[in-house]
Amino acid sequence: MLRHVEWRDDSVLVASENNPPVRSLDDRTDVCQEPNPKLCVAFVGMGSQHPTMGRQLAEQYPLFLASIKENDRILMDVYGQPSLLDRTRLFIPGAECSLNPNGVWPLQDVILSFTYLQISLWDLIRSLGFRADFVLGTSVGEIAMGYASGHYDRTTAIGIATAFATTMSEVEGNGATIFVAVNACRARLVIDEVLLQAGMTSGLWISSFHSPHAVAIAGTRTLINAMSDFLSTSKAFSGVFSMVLPQLGCAFHTPLMEPIEKPFKAALEKIILDHKLDARSLEARVMSTVDGYWLNRPLDSDYFWDNVLRPTKFGEIVQNLAHEEGENIVLLEIAAHPAMKTCVEQCGVRYVGLIRRPAPDASVDVSNECLQVREAVHHLCNAGFRRELGVLE
């Protein structure tokens, strides 16, 4: 039984004609290919949110829906906030979500919904018999990371998400983010050129080092738009893929977040953080995308403020894992969509995604989150992971 879950629901999967038992995908004895694989679970930050995320899982898997509802109960009963489910209709089987279909939502709803989704996806994966050897998170994904690693419980995780959500609204719209498929050195050249053309000395920063060949750059909206225009017309950067990310409502991981330091830390200091400082009591080792190496400090208000202010080092962390673990490492991304697949593979690590959002240009929604989860289970088993039997049977 899950050690993290504070209630019990053994009916994790309901088999039917359309949803056969997960064990049907990996009941062969010769499925494992690697002798000692290591599982790294990555809780990637917001940006891939969409109105139907988790809906099919909530319809079919009672444990997933119960986890979502428990998150919402804690939000209301412990932290005095209005129900996310009632306000937005997210996750509720048969309900129509009230949020924008394009995923451009108020930051409060993005942060809370992403935390709900990642916690409940981990509860589901954990109940299927998989254990993480390592965990990491990027941006607000580090909230669920601390839950999955065993640093704190569900109630604390929802409290941290509440602190993020209530204070981030104060800087909503302070900037924008653009993804650029270049290395960090070339990204700095682009930043310098755009600032020079704008007659400014600051206002753009690398906010995330995704991989050796990709970064995210955040800054004021005017400068991000100028960068997008520059990249689309510059001969020196002809053919470089770039995309402004409208789903990110502020300039995370830049100095533009500094005005909320005091209220953010004050909100977090009301919560008991980092319950388990004894490494022997933790579920999995943590790689910090804030510090760029193994976590060796408390997940306290100072740590999470660094999470808000400093760039994430996702690519560096994944490369370090590849160097230390070699071909035995497999990364499972926990998010609403496999946003980091290419970046992970560029770092030399095998990748498994979980659920995917519907194709925006599809006339008919043929996505099936339940099949996608079973597909992920199949890939993990083929990589050499054996589920703990008896969890489902």
Side-chain angles (χ1 to χ4, degrees):
M1 193 59 211
L2 292 177
R3 276 179 280 173
H4 299 131
V5 182
E6 297 160 5
W7 35 267
R8 183 176 180 86
D9 187 341
D10 291 323
S11 54
V12 52
L13 299 177
V14 177
S16 68
E17 182 178 351
N18 295 326
N19 291 287
V22 174
R23 62 179 177 272
S24 67
L25 286 175
D26 62 317
D27 58 2
R28 296 175 296 163
T29 58
D30 61 345
V31 72
C32 298
Q33 301 297 320
E34 296 293 339
N36 295 297
K38 298 289 184 66
L39 182 62
C40 175
V41 178
F43 297 88
V44 175
M46 59 192 183
S48 62
Q49 65 273 2
H50 59 89
T52 61
M53 62 183 186
R55 180 72 53 82
Q56 293 171 338
L57 297 178
E59 290 173 349
Q60 293 295 329
Y61 301 157
L63 185 143
F64 180 86
L65 179 58
S67 177
I68 289 286
K69 289 183 175 180
E70 179 66 1
N71 296 334
D72 206 51
R73 183 198 67 77
I74 291 169
L75 180 72
M76 294 185 292
D77 294 352
V78 179
Y79 297 105
Q81 298 295 309
S83 165
L84 175 73
L85 303 186
D86 290 346
R87 284 195 302 104
T88 67
R89 313 303 289 169
L90 279 165
F91 306 114
I92 301 174
E96 183 175 352
C97 178
S98 63
L99 297 172
N100 196 323
N102 65 9
V104 181
W105 303 344
L107 275 174
Q108 179 178 3
D109 295 335
V110 175
I111 293 167
L112 289 174
S113 66
F114 229 73
T115 302
Y116 278 29
L117 178 73
Q118 291 183 320
I119 286 176
S120 299
L121 281 173
W122 177 242
D123 284 347
L124 180 61
I125 291 298
R126 185 69 178 80
S127 72
L128 297 179
F130 295 102
R131 291 179 178 271
D133 296 287
F134 318 114
V135 295
L136 61 88
T138 65
S139 192
V140 298
E142 287 206 307
I143 302 172
M145 174 205 76
Y147 170 77
S149 66
H151 276 83
Y152 43 72
D153 59 15
R154 178 191 304 270
T155 298
T156 301
I158 298 301
I160 297 170
T162 303
F164 267 80
T166 55
T167 55
M168 293 298 170
S169 61
E170 298 180 27
V171 290
E172 186 141 19
N174 72 346
T177 301
I178 185 171
F179 172 91
V180 187
V182 296
N183 61 34
C185 182
R186 295 193 75 196
R188 293 186 180 97
L189 291 176
V190 176
I191 289 173
D192 290 344
E193 182 61 28
V194 172
L195 290 175
L196 179 64
Q197 292 184 9
M200 303 183 71
T201 58
S202 68
L204 290 169
W205 300 267
I206 296 177
S207 59
S208 180
F209 297 89
H210 285 334
S211 80
H213 309 292
V215 300
I217 297 172
T220 66
R221 191 168 298 277
T222 299
L223 287 173
I224 291 296
N225 289 336
M227 176 172 288
S228 180
D229 293 341
F230 171 79
L231 289 169
S232 66
T233 58
S234 170
K235 292 183 179 179
F237 291 91
S238 175
V240 170
F241 177 79
S242 65
M243 180 174 61
V244 177
L245 305 175
Q247 298 89 349
L248 302 180
C250 67
F252 274 103
H253 315 300
T254 76
L256 294 180
M257 305 300 290
E258 289 175 351
I260 64 167
E261 179 178 3
K262 288 185 178 180
F264 179 75
K265 286 186 173 181
L268 282 177
E269 285 167 1
K270 298 176 182 178
I271 304 166
I272 301 174
L273 300 174
D274 206 44
H275 290 297
K276 298 179 180 178
L277 295 179
D278 183 355
R280 292 172 298 180
S281 66
L282 299 180
E283 291 283 323
R285 294 184 70 190
V286 173
M287 271 278 195
S288 167
T289 58
V290 173
D291 298 330
Y293 42 78
W294 294 109
L295 181 69
N296 61 3
R297 58 169 167 149
L299 294 178
D300 56 13
S301 60
D302 288 331
Y303 181 87
F304 281 109
W305 175 243
D306 286 343
N307 167 290
V308 171
L309 190 65
R310 289 161 53 176
T312 67
K313 301 174 181 178
F314 178 82
E316 180 180 335
I317 290 301
V318 177
Q319 284 183 293
N320 287 342
L321 281 171
H323 176 74
E324 293 188 17
E325 301 297 332
E327 295 183 355
N328 283 344
I329 192 75
V330 177
L331 186 142
L332 173 68
E333 180 176 356
I334 305 286
H337 187 75
M340 302 302 288
K341 180 179 187 297
T342 299
C343 295
V344 170
E345 291 172 346
Q346 287 174 345
C347 294
V349 169
R350 286 181 295 170
Y351 175 92
V352 175
L354 200 52
I355 58 174
R356 300 184 291 276
R357 60 176 170 238
D361 55 349
S363 57
V364 177
D365 181 11
V366 295
S367 63
N368 187 317
E369 292 178 330
C370 304
L371 288 177
Q372 291 160 8
V373 168
R374 290 196 295 277
E375 186 179 81
V377 169
H378 184 57
H379 289 316
L380 289 173
C381 289
N382 275 334
F385 296 99
R386 290 193 181 276
R387 296 191 296 108
E388 296 171 358
L389 299 180
V391 178
L392 295 178
E393 289 75 14

